[in-house]
Amino acid sequence: MSLPVRPEPKPGIMDIAAYVPGKSAAPAGVAKVHKLSSNENPLGASPKAVEAVRSVAASLEFYPDGAASRLREAIAEVHGLNPDNILCTNGSDEALGLLAQAYLQPGDEGVFTEHGFLVYRIYIQAAGAVPVVVKETEETADVDAILAAVTDRTRIVFLANPNNPTGTYVPFEEVRRLHAGLPKNVLLVLDAAYAEYVRRNDYETGIELVSSFDNVVMTRTFSKVYGLGGARIGWIYAPAHVIAALNRIRGPFNVNAAAIEAGVAAIRDRGHVEKSVAHNDQWLPWLTEKLTKLGLRVTPSIGNFILIHFPDERRSAALADEYLTARGYILRRVAGYGFPNALRMTIGTEEANRGVVAALSDFLKD
Ligand SMILES: *Cc1c(COP(=O)(O)O)cnc(C)c1O
């Protein structure tokens, strides 16, 4: 047997389709760019979080607290949780990756749904496990279909609730039924990245399930309603035995000093959260109505973004994307999510929202 002539990644690594983030640039000459491609808060971060980051700048030579204790305590206080069951991460992406690393080995299966968040597939494959993709019903995760896909090799089920890029959700009774149908050795990961935006009586994040069972965890992020995507702060609420496993494999200083201070300030600024949610409550239905009136189908969303479907080849998502980008409106192509003819739009500022509706109205007439 001849040796490879250079270091080779583990089997499967080069089969992974690398994550493609939302675009952020428009062509030269566009006066103003509205980035509506990554579900960022159009109001920005809390001014208190910005100030907190400024103050950290004076002492960057010091390592951060590796346990992020103050941040865990602030999160615990706001959500009424035990800080020992919280682990802070470099974005919730890191939490999802650590879970896959800790609980999946080659031959195992990780389950997620057809239009589910693409990061799940990446981390399942990176762990050498097999991604199992489950059909959805009406662009919504289907509990019966997920349960039917579980085998004796399944170790993790990832469910974004609400999901990105559809904005649809699974009511809590259905999440409960999903959990009840899973074997006890299968970890149910509830990714509640958009939970703060949800206004539905039949929705819950999963905190209660995590508190009651050994095989459920919830992940959360500061990237969306808190407007801190650039600071990379996420957290996981999990049973002690899961936290103990993740603490063994995470980077020792995985959440940096600026992120810790930004997070503590942001989560305590409830006024900024309320303002951000109120903005979404106003513009999510407005955009849905205006775009529907233009003849575009919009998937009913409870998040801070909408999925807009385009009618035909002459008025395709690709052409609409070009048209909008040329005018400074950067939306998100979602072909990789199984929607070749749709664009995802983050709910933006009033100016951006009105601008997109006007531009799409022109696009459809042209
Ligand atoms: C944006 C998003 C996240 C958050 O990712 P971060 O790493 O925390 O920035 C997680 N899950 C879903 C479904 C998302 O859309």
Side-chain angles (χ1 to χ4, degrees):
M1 203 185 81
S2 61
L3 286 169
V5 296
R6 59 178 194 188
E8 293 291 341
K10 293 183 291 185
I13 298 291
M14 298 312 291
D15 300 332
I16 297 173
Y19 187 79
V20 183
K23 286 185 297 181
S24 50
V30 173
K32 184 162 181 187
V33 176
H34 299 276
K35 185 171 186 287
L36 305 167
S37 58
S38 300
N39 300 343
E40 293 141 339
N41 186 338
L43 309 186
S46 157
K48 291 175 182 152
V50 176
E51 191 43 48
V53 171
R54 278 212 183 89
S55 63
V56 177
S59 48
L60 285 178
E61 71 275 31
F62 297 116
Y63 275 93
D65 166 19
S69 300
R70 290 180 48 246
L71 181 54
R72 287 190 297 114
E73 279 156 20
I75 294 167
E77 187 187 308
V78 167
H79 289 275
L81 305 173
N82 180 344
D84 294 342
N85 293 101
I86 293 170
L87 174 70
C88 293
T89 52
N90 185 42
S92 53
D93 279 353
E94 188 192 21
L96 300 168
L98 291 173
L99 289 167
Q101 249 189 78
Y103 291 96
L104 292 174
Q105 59 179 322
D108 289 346
E109 292 172 354
V111 172
F112 60 97
T113 64
E114 196 181 356
H115 305 299
F117 193 38
L118 277 177
V119 158
Y120 308 146
R121 173 191 283 280
I122 293 175
Y123 289 137
I124 291 166
Q125 287 181 283
V130 180
V132 174
V133 187
V134 177
K135 279 277 172 209
E136 298 191 358
T137 302
E138 294 180 6
E139 297 165 1
T140 308
D142 177 329
V143 166
D144 292 307
I146 296 173
L147 289 175
V150 171
T151 72
D152 56 11
R153 289 185 299 276
T154 308
R155 290 294 172 272
I156 292 194
V157 173
F158 287 105
L159 180 70
N161 201 25
N163 183 50
N164 166 21
T166 53
T168 57
Y169 75 110
V170 179
F172 196 59
E173 281 313 310
E174 282 291 285
V175 176
R176 231 180 239 293
R177 196 164 71 78
L178 170 60
H179 171 259
L182 291 175
K184 288 198 167 75
N185 67 335
V186 173
L187 187 65
L188 174 60
V189 180
L190 300 172
D191 175 349
Y194 300 95
E196 293 85 356
Y197 288 108
V198 179
R199 304 283 205 182
R200 287 291 187 285
N201 289 331
D202 60 354
Y203 173 83
E204 277 179 47
T205 56
I207 283 179
E208 196 194 316
L209 276 181
V210 178
S211 305
S212 315
F213 297 99
D214 266 341
N215 65 333
V216 189
V217 303
M218 171 188 72
T219 60
R220 299 289 286 267
T221 184
F222 281 74
S223 301
K224 305 293 158 53
V225 82
Y226 291 106
L228 287 169
R232 311 304 303 127
I233 317 166
W235 55 282
I236 178 167
Y237 175 56
H241 70 96
V242 174
I243 300 285
L246 302 189
N247 265 327
R248 283 165 166 75
I249 57 170
R250 70 176 172 90
F253 304 101
N254 60 331
V255 183
N256 69 70
I260 290 173
E261 295 311 319
V264 169
I267 203 162
R268 295 224 159 103
D269 188 351
R270 302 317 295 168
H272 188 73
V273 174
E274 276 166 34
K275 214 160 81 178
S276 304
V277 174
H279 177 87
N280 203 61
D281 284 345
Q282 178 182 358
W283 292 100
L284 173 69
W286 186 89
L287 275 165
T288 307
E289 188 199 318
K290 295 290 175 196
L291 295 171
T292 306
K293 276 195 182 140
L294 291 180
L296 299 170
R297 183 170 76 82
V298 175
T299 304
S301 170
I302 60 166
N304 69 332
F305 56 90
I306 47 174
L307 187 63
I308 310 167
H309 302 266
F310 288 82
D312 48 44
E313 261 170 42
R314 212 169 47 76
R315 295 162 300 169
S316 68
L319 291 173
D321 187 40
E322 256 176 55
Y323 192 92
L324 290 168
T325 301
R327 286 155 185 79
Y329 303 105
I330 315 294
L331 275 64
R332 179 66 169 268
R333 295 291 310 272
V334 281
Y337 286 94
F339 295 112
N341 210 17
L343 295 176
R344 190 192 68 198
M345 173 186 178
T346 306
I347 308 305
T349 59
E350 171 171 0
E351 183 191 359
N353 299 335
R354 289 189 189 279
V356 168
V357 169
L360 282 177
S361 170
D362 293 343
F363 168 75
L364 294 168
K365 276 183 224 139
D366 281 1

